Amino acid sequence: NMEAAQTYGRKKNATAVAYVKRGKGMIRINGHPLELLEPEILRFKVYEAILIVGEDKFAGLDIR
């Protein structure tokens, strides 16, 4: 029974960390909701991965 998971990815000198736990489907990037992510093209790039997997898979998860 896992309550949370943390993972990371690297590209050049940058490191991205994602912390996933049970929740209400909230996805935050740098402390801001995904819906407010700018520039817009970056928001679409993140949504693309979510839509390919299926939004329903993220409904019970919070990702920050």
Side-chain angles (χ1 to χ4, degrees):
N1 184 6
M2 277 187 17
E3 291 298 316
Q6 184 174 350
T7 188
Y8 70 94
R10 292 180 184 212
K11 184 173 181 179
K12 295 188 179 179
N13 291 329
T15 302
V17 178
Y19 183 74
V20 182
K21 63 179 182 173
R22 290 184 191 180
K24 301 175 184 174
M26 172 96 47
I27 300 176
R28 299 178 77 82
I29 298 178
N30 294 334
H32 301 286
L34 178 56
E35 297 81 26
L36 301 178
L37 185 62
E38 291 292 333
E40 188 179 37
I41 191 71
L42 182 57
R43 185 179 337 137
F44 290 148
K45 199 72 175 163
V46 175
Y47 270 128
E48 182 178 45
I50 293 168
L51 294 173
I52 288 172
V53 174
E55 280 186 283
D56 58 311
K57 307 282 191 308
F58 295 89
L61 301 174
D62 284 349
I63 304 172
R64 63 177 176 92

